[in-house]
Amino acid sequence: MQNGIKRKWFAVAGGALKTELTEVTDEDRNILDKIVNGVELAKEIIDNLKKRKLIEQTKVSFYSVEKGQKFQTHRAKKAADLTADMLADKSWKTQAFKPYNFNALGKELHSGNLHPLLKVRSEFRQILLEMGFEEMPTDNFVESSFWNFDTLFQPQQHPARDAHDTFFISEPEKCKVIDEAYWQRVKTMHEKGDSQSIGWRYDWSFDEARKNILRTHTTAVSSKMLYQLAQEKEFRPRKWFSIDRVFRNENLDATHLAEFHQIEGLVVDKHLGLGHLMGIIRDFFRRIGITKLKFKPAYNPYTEPSMEVFGYHPTLKRWVEIGNSGIFRPEMLLPMGLSPDVSVLAWGLSVERPTMIQYNIANIRELYGHKVNIKTIKENPICAFK
């Protein structure tokens, strides 16, 4: 009724409906007919019809399906891998394969992982081989005091040979004397020296030299290699290196362990000097990415002159000793039978401390020992020195 009054079809007068129209036009019917016929109407009209619930809007989707290039009347299972049978019967030519996603990460493998020390050791070995060095055999941890100390012209009363610095072997306690003549020459050099040296002036003991120990450095191997070189009929310049484990009875702290890995290098030729040694050391450390180096004069019983090598640690914010170096003394080389004009440049360093610098590790016990985080070993990056 209100809609009829609004459209003026009739009016209310005296409580009764009154109209003067003889014909009424139903506009709603006309609008609904237009909607049925697809005529587009104004949004206001549509909203009004929705509000009055005269119309309801629905969505109808139509699809057109056609045969594609890969249309088949049956479903074929795609293969995931190329097998040996497919190659044998040539069925791979007609076989459908699943597409490969080369960006997928793949399945995580639960396997062993290389320790950072092994990665650094492998990288060091490759660098030294590229520099023209040959690797020395270092397959025995137990050495005699003779090869570890005496052949290096280190006196038998030296503090490094005490029990608080060296691990002694109880069984077998002592070694055999192989070349007694060489042992006697070493004894004479320690006691009396030669025309260029006065020796250490003490009574050298065969018994002390025969004591077996856990080697304190790989220089014992270097001494054996130089002795073998001296036995050759014709002298040849040589470049040797070794990387292996050594043992020292030291107090444990952030930068020291009782066992560690040592790198040692030797250059044997005539008329070499300290400048050659510093150049080789700088070249080696440059190849492993350590350019901040310092050389400090030092004392070693078997090298003169001697130098300690320091590298700057970015995490500790201080200089850390990373190596030792020097030129082997004639008192060590002459008893072996080497010519007086032969010089031997030598240097040694640990693998642990350059590894700490490379991986920004402040405490060596976080790198090697019972405090190592296994997750860190698994997730540590590849060691690539630049």
Side-chain angles (χ1 to χ4, degrees), residues 57 112 122 176 219 226 232 262 312 314 364:
Q57 189 174 8
S122 177
K176 296 180 180 180
T219 315
L226 291 172
E232 297 181 1
Q262 184 181 29
Y312 186 75
I364 195 171

Side-chain angles (χ1 to χ4, degrees), residues 74-128:
H74 63 281
R75 296 183 64 181
K77 184 178 180 181
K78 295 183 178 180
D81 298 303
L82 180 65
T83 64
D85 294 336
M86 294 180 186
L87 294 174
D89 58 17
K90 298 182 179 181
S91 61
W92 61 271
K93 294 183 178 181
T94 57
Q95 176 65 51
F97 291 91
K98 294 180 180 179
Y100 283 92
N101 181 9
F102 294 99
N103 295 321
L105 294 178
K107 184 179 180 180
E108 182 180 0
L109 299 178
H110 298 283
S111 60
N113 298 275
L114 291 177
H115 192 278
L117 282 174
L118 293 179
K119 296 180 181 181
V120 175
R121 174 177 174 170
S122 177
E123 187 71 17
F124 282 178
R125 182 177 182 274
Q126 185 61 35
I127 289 173
L128 288 166

